[in-house]
Amino acid sequence: MDRQTIQNLVAHVRAAQDQRYQIDKITVTHCPTLSTAQAYLVQQELIRQRLAEGDAIAGPKMGFTSLAKLKQMNATDPIYGYVFQSMVVPDNSAIHLKDYIHPKAEPEIGFVLKYDFQGPGITKEDVMRAVDFLFPAIEIIDSRYKNYNFTLPDVIADNTSAAGAVFGTRVKPNTEMDLAAIEVTMQINGEAVAHGNGAAVLDHPAHSVARLANMLAEKGEAVKAGQPILTGGVTAAVALSKGDKVDVMFNQGLGSAHLLVDA
Ligand code: OOG
Ligand code: MG
């Protein structure tokens, strides 16, 4: 794919992100042959531009790591993107619907590593040895595609629908914690809307971090120490409406994360 094609696709997707409007799939309007590898080149250029303009990466995110998400979005494979600093929402604070198109919330398990590592060949055990902190998270996704209707290359080029994230308080993992068995409930206005456990995420959320490291290795990048890493929605995502209070609550001492939705 030539440079001009990449630039055109980035300009098209960025405009939708910045001005918050919905677009048709770029695999329909622009590039029917767009491959996954080419879509990551588009994503990479989009990220390069945002960094050049002064935004910063908060951390990487995995997507489509649970069956619930794969089914909901009719997807086939895990993908990755990035949460920018400008997207971070402090715990317990409000977002404004006007800043989004059709936002949804999903509960996620977050990792912070003690040291950088680079794939290929990273395993779940490598990840567990490297864990510094875990944290409860709410990811706010907001696909720029109409009705969240996209193929994998479309959603990769749209930075995997990234639009916001609440990173809850970091906790040190302890020997009592079992990340496959850990349970999460997402409540909206006090009512349980989704429930799942850590094993929903690729059998164990550390597999998601390993997969991320191994995917990033293909472009020579490492997973970095200290960055919050999102391992992917444990449950299906839930659409947000004005006045919602979202509570994502884990057991085993991982804690909770909270979000309010204003007009
Ligand atoms: C794409 C983003 C997927 C996850 O956790 O599975 C994702 C989408 O569902 O719009 O972030
Ligand atoms: Mg997510």
Side-chain angles (χ1 to χ4, degrees):
M1 206 166 46
D2 62 56
R3 203 176 147 68
Q4 194 53 51
T5 309
I6 294 178
Q7 294 292 336
N8 291 346
L9 289 173
V10 171
H12 181 66
V13 173
R14 276 199 57 174
Q17 291 183 346
D18 292 342
Q19 293 159 50
R20 301 172 193 103
Y21 58 78
Q22 301 184 46
I23 55 176
D24 289 314
K25 290 182 277 205
I26 57 174
T27 54
V28 168
T29 57
H30 287 68
C31 199
T33 61
L34 189 71
S35 67
T36 296
Q38 289 170 335
Y40 277 114
L41 294 177
V42 176
Q43 185 195 95
Q44 201 170 354
E45 172 59 15
L46 186 146
I47 281 149
R48 191 197 64 76
Q49 289 184 14
R50 293 211 181 282
L51 296 179
E53 288 164 15
D55 210 339
I57 284 171
K61 55 160 282 189
M62 286 290 279
F64 303 147
T65 52
S66 68
L67 198 57
K69 281 290 303 187
L70 285 165
K71 272 197 184 150
Q72 181 182 33
M73 306 318 295
N74 202 15
T76 49
D77 288 293
I79 55 176
Y80 68 86
Y82 296 89
V83 175
F84 283 99
Q85 213 68 63
S86 59
M87 297 175 181
V88 175
V89 178
D91 197 4
N92 262 308
S93 67
I95 57 165
H96 298 278
L97 277 183
K98 65 167 171 36
D99 295 332
Y100 301 85
I101 304 164
H102 45 193
K104 295 182 185 181
E106 50 194 22
E108 304 210 12
I109 299 168
F111 280 64
V112 179
L113 304 176
K114 287 182 233 174
Y115 44 83
D116 296 2
F117 54 48
Q118 191 167 329
I122 297 294
T123 65
K124 167 191 158 197
E125 288 68 33
D126 294 330
V127 172
M128 290 313 288
R129 264 193 299 276
V131 181
D132 200 359
F133 298 101
L134 298 166
F135 62 90
I138 304 172
E139 191 189 16
I140 303 157
I141 53 170
D142 195 27
S143 176
R144 270 51 68 160
Y145 298 107
K146 274 179 199 153
N147 305 317
Y148 281 77
N149 185 345
F150 47 65
T151 66
L152 275 193
D154 291 302
V155 67
I156 290 164
D158 184 26
N159 189 22
T160 66
S161 308
V166 178
F167 301 132
T169 305
R170 294 176 176 192
V171 300
K172 279 277 178 198
N174 59 57
T175 47
E176 255 103 276
M177 273 185 181
D178 173 351
L179 288 182
I182 198 166
E183 287 182 67
V184 63
T185 300
M186 183 160 71
Q187 290 187 349
I188 296 195
N189 301 323
E191 201 179 304
V193 292
H195 183 82
N197 62 33
V201 178
L202 297 176
D203 293 327
H204 190 293
H207 276 140
S208 177
V209 180
R211 183 81 175 248
L212 172 69
N214 294 332
M215 286 178 20
L216 288 179
E218 286 168 29
K219 58 178 185 187
E221 278 181 23
V223 179
K224 298 202 183 74
Q227 282 190 334
I229 301 164
L230 292 178
T231 56
V234 180
T235 73
V238 177
L240 296 174
S241 315
K242 182 184 154 196
D244 282 349
K245 180 178 192 307
V246 184
D247 304 295
V248 160
M249 296 170 295
F250 287 88
N251 63 0
Q252 295 188 20
L254 183 55
S256 54
H258 311 274
L259 172 71
L260 301 165
V261 183
D262 281 352

